[in-house]
């Protein structure tokens, strides 16, 4: 089975940096995804980590430590439009390849002026 | 930019009725998925589909659910006899590559199903 934990809610200030943590326990772990979801909308892909280390993509970076079962999403130069839920999702290997993702409950990020 | 589309955007049905939710995945994608999200809860995986057959399904995807790719463009989710607890947002997703290759899943806008 798979279990994913992330904080329910975080608040940050426009222009600042925020780090959203995610811990996971999964059998046959094979990658960690981060998605952004605005209220009432579909999740949109932000990042994918399969190896340990930091992946940087513009204002967003994602880090993975497989040995610790830990990931974080780092958002820099926060903008008001970054107010959304950030979903941590892990994939486990059931051998099929076309497998679904297991999502955490999401972290609701509130950006204040 | 290509996108996944879903119809209808909102479906209201009575308990016990059958519903079919429709999705058009991105045209060159080969892997298809259905997820659901009950209001205020997390996104939950239902089923994945590749090469005209189910690859994986979750415990939620019981005998009341079925999927089909009736032609080269559509991908449907059928719920045979809806229950109140089936009320949720249903997301279709597709990817060009399998998850094992880091295939990014693109989500459609969702169909909000309300069972009364």
């Amino acid at each position: 089975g798979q279990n994913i934990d992330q904080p329910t809610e975080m608040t940050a200030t426009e222009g600042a940096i925020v780090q959203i943590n995610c811990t996971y326990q999964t059998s046959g772990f094979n990658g960690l995804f981060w998605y952004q979801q605005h209220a009432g909308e579909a999740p949109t892909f932000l990042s994918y980590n399969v190896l340990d280390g930091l992946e940087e993509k513009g204002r967003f970076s994602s880090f993975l430590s497989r040995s610790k079962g830990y990931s974080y999403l780092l958002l820099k130069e926060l903008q008001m439009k970054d107010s959304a839920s950030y979903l941590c999702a892990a994939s486990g290997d059931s051998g099929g390849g076309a497998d679904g993702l297991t999502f955490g409950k999401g972290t609701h990020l509130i950006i204040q002026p | 930019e290509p996108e996944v589309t879903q119809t209808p955007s909102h479906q209201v049905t009575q308990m016990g009725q059958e519903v079919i939710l429709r999705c058009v995945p991105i045209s060159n994608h080969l892997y298809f998925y259905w997820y659901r999200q009950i209001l205020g809860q997390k996104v939950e995986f239902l089923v994945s589909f590749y090469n005209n057959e189910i690859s994986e399904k979750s415990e939620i995807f019981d005998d009341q659910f079925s999927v089909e790719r009736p032609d080269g463009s559509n991908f449907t989710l059928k719920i045979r006899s809806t229950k109140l607890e089936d009320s949720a947002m249903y997301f279709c997703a597709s990817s060009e590559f399998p998850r094992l290759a880091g295939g990014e899943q693109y989500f459609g806008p969702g169909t909000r199903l309300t069972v009364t």
Side-chain angles (χ1 to χ4, degrees), chain B residues 5-33:
Chain B
T5 59
Q6 291 185 241
T7 54
S9 57
H10 192 185
Q11 172 96 45
V12 181
T13 188
Q14 289 190 326
M15 195 168 53
Q17 295 297 305
E18 174 184 287
V19 294
I20 298 176
L21 310 183
R22 303 180 191 280
C23 168
V24 178
I26 294 173
S27 61
N28 64 327
H29 286 188
L30 300 176
Y31 302 86
F32 314 119
Y33 313 84

Side-chain angles (χ1 to χ4, degrees), chain A residues 12-79:
Chain A
T13 305
E14 190 177 14
I17 298 173
V18 70
Q19 177 174 312
I20 302 174
N21 297 323
C22 171
T23 57
Y24 63 89
Q25 294 172 314
T26 184
S27 54
F29 173 79
N30 215 309
L32 195 291
F33 294 77
W34 283 95
Y35 278 79
Q36 181 191 61
Q37 186 178 30
H38 285 98
E41 298 183 13
T44 55
F45 172 82
L46 290 177
S47 68
Y48 169 68
N49 294 70
V50 64
L51 300 175
D52 286 0
L54 188 68
E55 294 278 345
E56 296 188 73
K57 190 185 289 187
R59 294 190 298 115
F60 293 2
S61 303
S62 57
F63 172 83
L64 177 67
S65 169
R66 294 176 69 120
S67 62
K68 295 180 180 178
Y70 167 70
S71 173
Y72 67 72
L73 180 70
L74 191 72
L75 294 79
K76 304 175 189 174
E77 300 169 18
L78 286 170
Q79 301 173 10

Side-chain angles (χ1 to χ4, degrees), chain A residues 35 37 42 91 97-101, chain B residues 35 37 48 56 99 104-105 108:
Chain A
Y35 278 79
Q37 186 178 30
S91 63
D99 302 330
L101 298 172
Chain B
Y35 293 84
Q37 187 174 31
S48 59
E56 185 192 21
R99 177 197 45 74
E104 174 186 344
Q105 294 181 20

